[in-house]
Amino acid sequence: MGRNRRLKKRLWRLRNNPLRRHDDIVEARIVLVMWAVIVLGGALAGLVTFHAADEVFAAQRTERHTVQAVLLTDTPPANSTPGGARGLIKAKVRRTTADGTRRTGSALVDTGQKAGSKVEVWVDSAGSFTIEPPSSKEATLESAALGLTATLAFAGLAFGTGAVARYRLDRRRIDSWDREWQLVGPSWGRKTL
């Protein structure tokens, strides 16, 4: 019995009510659609973004590999580099490709090394210097962060659209009330016989 009463109380807006205005029904539907879009669309946007980012990171892990290179400049000691990621710093390096071509460029190398020392650097499938791809765990965390960001952005867009629709509905109600008051208001100042 109590469960049936609670259900009736929650669904009171769906009853036939002589005081219910058409705008109230429209507003209830706007809110319902807005939340459905936020929940379903936000989840879909987050999942699609997560899987797309994860595929990109997996492709980076398969196409990038390490090669030996020669350091062309000295790198400063670890304690003198401000905020270097894992003790890495950008430095000039040179490597020789399989066909004997020498390529020079900048790559991230360990700090505290002398010019002429051999270092391992990351290159992509085209042979260009690049950074180390994220590990599987790092890629999952970054993909999850991107998915969450996409979910929140989509939810914010849907919520903002719903808020604009409700604002316009409120403006329409206020204009309607103003027109009705223009008709009724003057008669309130007179005495009735």
Side-chain angles (χ1 to χ4, degrees):
M1 183 78 172
R3 182 176 178 208
N4 191 22
R5 190 174 282 169
R6 280 190 306 235
L7 183 62
K8 280 184 180 180
K9 192 173 185 179
R10 284 185 185 161
L11 298 177
W12 71 270
R13 288 184 182 219
L14 301 178
R15 290 191 327 224
N16 204 5
N17 185 343
L19 297 177
R20 184 181 60 192
R21 297 170 296 189
H22 176 71
D23 289 347
D24 296 334
I25 296 169
V26 171
E27 183 177 20
R29 289 183 180 159
I30 287 171
V31 170
L32 180 66
V33 168
M34 177 185 69
W35 283 109
V37 167
I38 286 173
V39 170
L40 298 175
L44 183 63
L47 286 173
V48 167
T49 303
F50 173 81
H51 288 298
D54 204 35
E55 287 177 10
V56 168
F57 294 138
Q60 287 178 355
R61 283 192 302 275
T62 58
E63 78 170 9
R64 295 180 184 179
H65 59 280
T66 58
V67 294
Q68 290 288 323
V70 176
L71 189 60
L72 299 178
T73 58
D74 291 341
T75 59
N79 57 3
S80 67
T81 57
R86 293 184 287 175
L88 299 176
I89 191 166
K90 201 172 207 176
K92 285 272 195 193
V93 295
R94 181 179 57 232
R95 73 178 192 92
T96 305
T97 61
D99 64 358
T101 308
R102 290 185 170 192
R103 289 198 174 188
T104 304
S106 296
L108 290 176
V109 297
D110 291 327
T111 56
Q113 296 189 28
K114 299 286 182 194
S117 60
K118 294 203 182 265
V119 293
E120 281 192 350
V121 294
W122 287 88
V123 293
D124 60 14
S125 58
S128 302
F129 294 106
T130 187
I131 59 171
E132 178 181 0
S135 68
S136 179
K137 188 183 235 182
E138 291 170 337
T140 301
L141 287 173
E142 193 165 343
S143 296
L146 290 171
L148 180 63
T149 302
T151 298
L152 293 175
F154 187 86
L157 180 67
F159 187 80
T161 303
V164 167
R166 289 180 67 199
Y167 172 78
R168 293 190 65 179
L169 188 62
D170 283 342
R171 293 300 315 157
R172 191 171 88 179
R173 277 191 279 225
I174 290 171
D175 291 343
S176 173
W177 291 337
D178 188 44
R179 283 191 304 274
E180 289 175 14
W181 182 252
Q182 295 298 326
L183 294 173
V184 175
S187 66
W188 282 27
R190 297 186 208 137
K191 287 187 174 182
T192 58
L193 297 174

